[in-house]
Amino acid sequence: MKGRTMKKIALVSMIAAWFFFRFVFPVQATVLDFGDNQTLAPGFYGYLYYNNYTAGRTMNHSGDKAADLDLSYNVGTLKPAYYFKLLNHTFMVMAALPFGTASAKNGFGERERSSGIGDLVLSPGFFLYENGNLGTYISFMENISMPTGNWSEGRALRGGPNLGLHYWYLQHQLAFAQTL
């Protein structure tokens, strides 16, 4: 699928998702990213966003050209979240599923491509402290990345792009937020 076609599909998908959530689940957005560390009313939230990135070359620490990449990255991410109250605390369960296409020159100067889904990330978490009157929040979240994404050993050995990482990893997040 060419980049222009992928962009059109992503744009149509975002517009369709907006209409669906706007009229089927009418709510007001309070945060752009659930990682912004603010509690939300119990319920389901979700969004879909699209990233496009291109780079012709990369530079070294001196600012000189290090490599010709011919990199193109067209990826959307579906991010649903569910917030609920338990024992007087707010808990959340989130997920992030990237999908799309990445293409670049490999280490031999040949263009390679990876398309499909990326690694699924599940993120359970809870708020250790929340004071809506003061706008102060402290939360903990565990991000669990699962190797579900498109990955090829051959592409990896040649230095080509892969949407998946091909390994599990955990990322711990302790966050503090103060609204202004």
Side-chain angles (χ1 to χ4, degrees), residues 40-45 82-85:
L40 298 175
F44 174 81
Y45 298 86
Y82 183 72
Y83 282 71
F84 60 97
K85 290 279 193 183

Side-chain angles (χ1 to χ4, degrees), residues 117-178:
I117 64 169
D119 291 342
L120 175 66
V121 178
L122 290 179
S123 304
F126 65 98
F127 284 82
L128 300 164
Y129 177 80
E130 51 189 301
N131 186 325
N133 294 330
L134 296 175
T136 305
Y137 304 93
I138 300 173
S139 67
F140 176 79
M141 187 181 310
E142 185 68 38
N143 298 300
I144 306 162
S145 179
M146 296 174 264
T148 58
N150 184 328
W151 185 85
S152 161
E153 182 177 15
R155 270 196 314 266
L157 291 172
R158 292 186 301 272
N162 276 306
L163 287 177
L165 295 176
H166 195 59
Y167 58 85
W168 291 78
Y169 75 85
L170 301 176
Q171 179 189 38
H172 325 294
Q173 177 181 325
L174 179 64
F176 170 80
Q178 178 63 56

Side-chain angles (χ1 to χ4, degrees), residues 9-10 14 21 24 26 83 121 131 160:
I9 290 171
M14 286 189 304
F21 285 108
V24 176
Y83 282 71
V121 178
N131 186 325

Side-chain angles (χ1 to χ4, degrees), residues 70-92:
D70 194 19
L71 172 67
S72 177
Y73 179 84
N74 296 291
V75 175
T77 302
L78 177 63
K79 195 167 186 182
Y82 183 72
Y83 282 71
F84 60 97
K85 290 279 193 183
L86 182 66
L87 302 173
N88 229 10
H89 286 280
T90 302
F91 287 76
M92 62 210 150

Side-chain angles (χ1 to χ4, degrees), residues 14-34:
M14 286 189 304
I15 291 169
W18 180 83
F19 274 105
F20 178 77
F21 285 108
R22 172 66 177 98
F23 296 108
V24 176
F25 300 110
V27 296
Q28 292 183 347
T30 56
V31 294
L32 293 176
D33 190 342
F34 308 116

Side-chain angles (χ1 to χ4, degrees), residues 40-76:
L40 298 175
F44 174 81
Y45 298 86
Y47 66 87
L48 173 70
Y49 65 91
Y50 171 72
N51 293 305
N52 173 274
Y53 178 76
T54 57
R57 61 181 181 267
T58 185
M59 307 298 209
N60 64 17
H61 67 282
S62 302
D64 299 322
K65 183 172 89 169
D68 285 319
L69 293 177
D70 194 19
L71 172 67
S72 177
Y73 179 84
N74 296 291
V75 175

